[in-house]
Structure formats: structure tokens, C-alpha cells
Amino acid sequence: MTSSVVTIRLNGKPYQIGCDAGEEAHVTKLGAEVNAVMQTLVDSVGQIGEARLLAMTALIIADRSSNGSAAGSSPSVDAGQDVEATAIVLEKAAARLTELASKLTTP
């Protein structure tokens, strides 16, 4: 399968994210959603460091997922399936991030 790279912006900084061909729009949308949560935090607590903002953003998104709903949407009829689907997406994202991190640390 062909790979693509999408650049998303989080807190004004560009990040290149690898994805499968055809997933570019979805990854871009996810990046925009993460950035929206992060910007809400920045508006609330200020620039408290990139790592802390990313950690807090991840916790907020995980909390929304564990509640079976996302911001602005109603809870799913079968939240168990949503949690399972979210877990799969997060596992794939973690694998991609690990792959990218290893590429960044390899000369």
C-alpha cells in the first residue's frame, strides 16, 4: 500500500504525519480536531509548554472517547462499539507515531 505524508498544525507548529494513501483528508480532519481542543486549552491556561499541552489534549480526547461521545455530538447508541473503534484508531495512530519517531531519531 502506498504511503502519504500530511502536514497538520498543532498550536501553530507543523507536524508531518504518515498515513496510508487515501487517508489524507481523514488525518487532516483529526489534526484539526486535536488543534481545536489544544487551542481551547491555550485560551484557558495559556502557553504552558508543548508537552503539557499535548498531554492535556490527549487526556481530554480520551475522556470524551471513554464517555462515548465527542464534542458537539450525541452519545452513540452502542458506546461499547465506539470505544472499541476508538481503541483501534488510537492503536494505529500510536504505531504510526512510533514509526515516525524512529525515523526522526535515525540519522
Side-chain angles (χ1 to χ4, degrees), residues 46-107:
Q47 293 290 345
I48 57 172
E50 186 174 331
R52 183 177 276 174
L53 282 172
L54 286 170
M56 291 173 70
T57 299
L59 289 171
I60 289 169
I61 293 170
D63 182 56
R64 289 178 181 171
S65 296
S66 71
N67 289 330
S69 65
S73 67
S74 59
S76 169
V77 173
D78 188 352
Q81 286 182 341
D82 281 350
V83 171
E84 196 171 316
T86 300
I88 291 168
V89 169
L90 289 173
E91 286 174 4
K92 287 181 180 179
R96 286 187 202 135
L97 288 172
T98 301
E99 180 183 347
L100 286 172
S102 69
K103 288 179 182 178
L104 290 174
T105 58
T106 306

